[in-house]
Amino acid sequence: MTTATEGPALVKADQTRNLILATWAFAISFWAWNMIGPLAGRYAVDMDLSANQKSFLVAVPVIVGSLGRIAAGTLTDRYGGRFLFTVLLVLTAPFVVLVAVAGEANSYPLLILFGFFLGIGGTTFAVGIPTVKAWFEKPRQGFATGLFGAGMGGTALSSFFTPRFVENFGYMTTHVIIAVALLITAGICWAFMRDSPRWTPSTEPAAPKLMSALKEPVTWQMAILYAVTFGGFVAFSTYLPTYLGDVVTYGYDLTEAGERTAGFAIAAVIARPIGGTLSDKVGPRAVTLVSLAGAAVMAIVLALRPEPEWPAGISFVLMAAFLGLGSGSVFAWVAQRAPADKTGSVTGLVGAAGGLGGFFPPLVMGATYNEQDQTYTIGLILLCATAVAAFLFTLIGLRERPAGRRRA
């Protein structure tokens, strides 16, 4: 495959443009994907939902957003990122509006149904990683994929702005605004985004290619780690507004909880490209170990319910930073080790694991919520245990290998 078509200056401009477009498309689709979480308190009051019903509602969009990444990654290998970004953004838009229709009707079953398909917005991650990777040389792929991963800050945008939009513009209008933004972004991607000249369409049938990707050790090894790091981020981003409203130490309203959830997400967004860049310099294994150790410690700190504002704020920001570092380092590891012709498939499978890692914790938190004491101590202890297990797996079971080697 060729590395350029017009010369260094043009390639540099193309790299920058496509990285910016991919990151924004990822961010706005993640905003849409997280439309339910910031308003979960409203739905719980309007529909008289139990803790388990509320946690399931928040978690439902994660299902499609996770499993759909497998198909999205494989289709990206075949059709390219420009086409897939455009299609997925267009498909997500109507379900943003339908979620609002279900909310206006106070219909929990319809909210679950449309929330399920809202998860389409969460699949764009698996499109962006192979698209961005193809635009950059190997020494800068950790930086580029980490910067693209900062698009997960769409959850911060949603947490901060969605409750405010509802207050200022109205519930239905807010959802229409986001749907229109998705369609505008789709048009911009189609008009200005391009696939890398180094990218060539895969002609291998999808099913055998997925099976081949599953046989790669890098796939399931990185899937385990991403389920903890990115899964932890997704779980906190979607459930933190509920957590901050339920725990007696905090008891924030929707807007206050949204502000603090946005701060959490921003910290993770900033940390993610740092994790990717550090991985280029010191290796992804070391960065991942630091991330997992830090997450385990902070889970215990949060279980002790630090007082607002500064002790709690610093604790949540540190947790977000450690999860963001790990999310960046794991995908820098994927970029280093995944075979070039299977990057989309490996990305889809690992990304699905990360999304599913964010699906189950809200359910666990809802099931283990101590309504009498208004605490989530058991859930946070389980998070600590999971991070410790992933740390030991990385420390004992994984080693960094020279570039070009594909088998442990």
Side-chain angles (χ1 to χ4, degrees), residues 162-382:
T162 298
R164 283 172 169 73
F165 277 24
V166 170
E167 287 180 5
N168 292 298
F169 306 122
Y171 175 75
M172 178 62 73
T173 303
T174 296
H175 288 75
V176 171
I177 289 171
I178 301 306
V180 170
L182 289 167
L183 294 175
I184 291 173
T185 303
I188 291 172
C189 286
W190 185 254
F192 299 105
M193 184 178 282
R194 295 293 180 267
D195 292 304
S196 169
R198 293 182 291 156
W199 172 77
T200 54
S202 171
T203 57
E204 186 178 345
K209 187 164 189 173
L210 281 173
M211 292 306 298
S212 178
L214 281 169
K215 293 176 182 178
E216 293 287 340
V218 63
T219 301
W220 59 267
Q221 290 167 348
M222 297 301 107
I224 292 171
L225 299 180
Y226 204 58
V228 179
T229 54
F230 184 73
F233 166 77
V234 170
F236 270 105
S237 296
T238 56
Y239 202 72
L240 197 53
T242 298
Y243 178 97
L244 293 175
D246 287 346
V247 175
V248 66
T249 309
Y250 311 117
Y252 296 120
D253 63 26
L254 282 180
T255 301
E256 292 170 334
E259 290 173 351
R260 288 154 180 82
T261 302
F264 177 94
I266 289 169
V269 165
I270 293 171
R272 180 160 184 155
I274 294 173
T277 303
L278 287 175
S279 296
D280 288 339
K281 298 181 181 300
V282 303
R285 181 173 178 267
V287 180
T288 303
L289 286 170
V290 170
S291 162
L292 294 169
V297 171
M298 295 314 303
I300 296 299
V301 171
L302 293 177
L304 297 175
R305 287 178 290 163
E307 292 293 321
E309 287 288 331
W310 285 104
I314 292 171
S315 299
F316 280 109
V317 165
L318 286 174
M319 171 62 87
F322 284 124
L323 293 175
L325 281 175
S327 297
S329 65
V330 170
F331 256 94
W333 218 340
V334 171
Q336 289 180 10
R337 295 180 56 189
D341 61 334
K342 299 174 185 173
T343 300
S345 298
V346 173
T347 296
L349 291 164
V350 174
L356 288 175
F359 171 73
F360 293 105
L363 301 182
V364 173
M365 296 292 270
T368 59
Y369 175 57
N370 186 325
E371 200 159 353
Q372 182 176 353
D373 296 334
Q374 294 181 298
T375 62
Y376 287 97
T377 303
I378 294 175
L380 290 167
I381 291 173
L382 290 173

Side-chain angles (χ1 to χ4, degrees), residues 27-49:
I28 191 64
S29 64
F30 254 44
W31 183 335
W33 189 38
N34 192 41
M35 286 291 288
I36 291 177
L39 302 177
R42 171 194 173 112
Y43 296 133
V45 172
D46 291 349
M47 303 179 197
D48 192 26
L49 304 181

Side-chain angles (χ1 to χ4, degrees), residues 32-65 95-96 98-119 171 175 234-235 237-242 254 358-367:
W33 189 38
N34 192 41
M35 286 291 288
I36 291 177
L39 302 177
R42 171 194 173 112
Y43 296 133
V45 172
D46 291 349
M47 303 179 197
D48 192 26
L49 304 181
S50 68
N52 284 332
Q53 286 176 313
K54 184 165 57 172
S55 61
F56 184 68
L57 174 63
V58 168
V60 155
V62 179
I63 299 174
V64 171
F95 291 105
V96 172
L98 288 172
V99 162
V101 172
E104 289 278 19
N106 286 333
S107 173
Y108 183 70
L110 283 179
L111 202 54
I112 293 293
L113 175 64
F114 297 139
F116 178 83
F117 289 104
L118 187 66
Y171 175 75
H175 288 75
V234 170
S237 296
T238 56
Y239 202 72
L240 197 53
T242 298
L254 282 180
F359 171 73
F360 293 105
L363 301 182
V364 173
M365 296 292 270

